[in-house]
């Protein structure tokens, strides 16, 4: 048997981690001297330690490793754990890629000197418009693009005539901001109303008699600043919000390289008026 320091050199795992694994119940020393409290490990423990380090290096947490180890020899159960981790890791990679994109977008804005956008609030009526819509609860706001993919695919598969030159709409239906499980309805103007199919629904977006609107472009990172300007304007001019936020995309949503331009639309009324 080997003292913890010697064993750590042989297996290339630090004594700190060996003690941590012991504390978590993953790997107990083969022997602990009752007088000196020295910990001793044996070579027969290396296979178990190798399994632990292999799972750790694949991103499994201590609690996940503890659940997997008893079933390590079951091909079905270990593969189920691996497939679950693959999905989680893929989602994390996509999130990091989106974070990287936001970093690059802001860096490009700073280099171009266009980080100080001019935001103008406009009051206007929003006419009624016939649309085909898709309403779903999605994991978070970043997944909205997948809804657009589904809606455009449905339109293409069914040869639905859409009205070109008009914006596409996103409506956020929750009463308050949610970090997950958000309900969104997206809509695209159509030449005429048709027959509903599942979650793909034809409808009329009703006339909004008075809306406060503001546009932003360049990057979705500018949403916060645009909404800040709109909120300040509403307070200074004594307008009350009476509906949810609706966004109208003024760019080609099918072209990922196109410059985004979004108009945020809020149904409002003058404070004190009914």
């Amino acid at each position: 048997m080997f003292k913890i320091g010697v064993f750590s050199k042989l297996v290339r795992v630090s004594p700190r981690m060996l003690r941590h694994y012991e504390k978590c119940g993953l790997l107990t020393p083969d022997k602990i001297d009752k007088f000196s409290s020295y910990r001793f490990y044996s070579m027969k423990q290396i296979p178990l330690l190798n399994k632990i380090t292999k799972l750790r290096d694949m991103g499994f947490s201590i609690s996940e490793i503890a659940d997997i180890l008893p079933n390590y020899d079951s091909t079905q159960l270990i593969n189920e754990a691996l497939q679950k981790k693959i999905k989680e890791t893929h989602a994390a990679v996509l999130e990091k890629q989106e974070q990287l994109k936001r970093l690059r977008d802001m860096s490009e804005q700073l280099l171009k000197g266009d980080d100080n956008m001019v935001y103008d609030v406009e009051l206007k009526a929003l006419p009624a418009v016939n649309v085909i819509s898709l309403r779903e609860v999605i994991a978070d706001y970043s997944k909205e693009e997948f809804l657009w993919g589904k809606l455009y695919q449905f339109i293409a598969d069914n040869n639905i005539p859409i009205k070109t030159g008009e914006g596409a709409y996103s409506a956020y239906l929750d009463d308050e901001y949610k970090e997950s499980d958000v309900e969104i309805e997206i809509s695209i103007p159509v030449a005429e109303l048709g027959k509903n199919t599942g979650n793909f629904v034809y409808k009329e977006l009703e006339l909004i008699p008075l809306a406060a609107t503001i546009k932003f472009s360049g990057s979705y990172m500018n949403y916060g600043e645009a909404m800040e300007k709109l909120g300040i304007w509403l307070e200074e001019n004594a307008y009350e919000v009476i509906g949810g936020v609706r966004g109208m995309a003024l760019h080609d949503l099918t072209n990922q390289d196109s410059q985004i331009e979004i108009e945020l639309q809020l149904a409002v009324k003058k404070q004190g008026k009914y």
Side-chain angles (χ1 to χ4, degrees):
M1 284 189 285
F2 304 89
K3 287 185 178 179
I4 189 170
V6 175
F7 186 72
S8 74
K9 288 182 180 180
L10 295 173
V11 297
R12 305 189 73 176
V13 176
S14 71
R16 181 186 66 82
M17 285 305 301
L18 290 172
R19 293 189 182 96
H20 182 58
Y21 294 153
E22 177 189 354
K23 183 179 179 181
C24 296
L26 295 182
L27 183 71
T28 303
D30 196 48
K31 176 183 176 183
I32 300 177
D33 188 278
K34 63 180 180 180
F35 298 108
S36 65
S37 296
Y38 287 160
R39 281 152 169 74
F40 295 90
Y41 293 83
S42 68
M43 290 294 101
K44 66 183 180 182
Q45 292 180 288
I46 291 180
L48 175 58
L49 182 58
N50 285 341
K51 293 175 184 177
I52 294 170
T53 55
K54 188 179 294 185
L55 291 168
R56 180 202 64 193
D57 291 344
M58 287 187 287
F60 288 98
S61 67
I62 290 294
S63 60
E64 289 172 329
I65 294 172
D67 291 336
I68 292 172
L69 285 177
N71 305 304
Y72 199 92
D73 294 330
S74 170
T75 301
Q76 179 182 347
L77 293 177
I78 191 67
N79 190 54
E80 288 175 0
L82 292 172
Q83 291 302 317
K84 180 181 178 183
K85 182 57 66 175
I86 287 171
K87 291 180 180 179
E88 292 175 358
T89 303
H90 181 65
V93 168
L94 292 178
E95 185 176 345
K96 284 298 181 182
Q97 287 176 339
E98 182 60 29
Q99 183 181 2
L100 181 60
K101 183 180 182 300
R102 291 194 292 266
L103 288 167
R104 286 173 173 164
D105 286 347
M106 186 164 187
S107 176
E108 288 177 5
Q109 284 186 354
L110 292 172
L111 291 174
K112 292 177 181 177
D114 60 355
D115 55 309
N116 294 315
M117 293 185 62
V118 176
Y119 298 96
D120 294 319
V121 177
E122 181 181 1
L123 279 175
K124 60 184 178 182
L126 302 177
V129 57
N130 291 331
V131 299
I132 181 169
S133 67
L134 175 61
R135 177 173 177 170
E136 289 188 6
V137 175
I138 58 177
D140 56 62
Y141 291 97
S142 68
K143 305 300 186 296
E144 182 181 331
E145 63 180 289
F146 298 108
L147 283 187
W148 286 110
K150 290 173 66 174
L151 182 54
Y152 274 111
Q153 188 63 54
F154 180 81
I155 289 171
D157 291 344
N158 293 275
N159 298 314
I160 298 171
I162 63 175
K163 298 181 72 173
T164 59
E166 296 196 18
Y169 299 90
S170 298
Y172 307 98
L173 304 176
D174 296 302
D175 293 332
E176 58 188 28
Y177 176 80
K178 296 173 65 178
E179 294 184 352
S180 61
D181 298 327
V182 297
E183 188 172 12
I184 295 179
E185 182 176 56
I186 60 173
S187 308
I188 295 175
V190 292
E192 59 182 15
L193 297 179
K195 184 179 179 181
N196 299 340
T197 304
N199 290 338
F200 299 97
V201 176
Y202 288 91
K203 62 189 295 186
E204 179 188 73
L205 297 183
E206 295 181 354
L207 162 74
I208 298 178
L210 187 64
T213 68
I214 192 169
K215 295 178 183 177
F216 70 92
S217 61
S219 168
Y220 285 105
M221 291 179 63
N222 294 325
Y223 173 94
E225 188 171 349
M227 188 56 73
E228 175 191 349
K229 301 294 184 183
L230 181 56
I232 292 172
W233 187 94
L234 292 171
E235 284 190 347
E236 291 179 345
N237 292 275
Y239 280 91
E240 179 182 348
V241 178
I242 58 173
V245 180
R246 188 169 82 180
M248 182 173 71
L250 304 173
H251 66 292
D252 184 0
L253 292 169
T254 62
N255 183 2
Q256 294 184 347
D257 296 326
S258 63
Q259 180 83 350
I260 73 160
E261 186 176 9
I262 305 292
E263 180 177 83
L264 299 177
Q265 304 172 337
L266 284 173
V268 297
K269 68 175 184 178
K270 197 72 173 177
Q271 289 183 5
K273 291 190 176 182
Y274 297 93

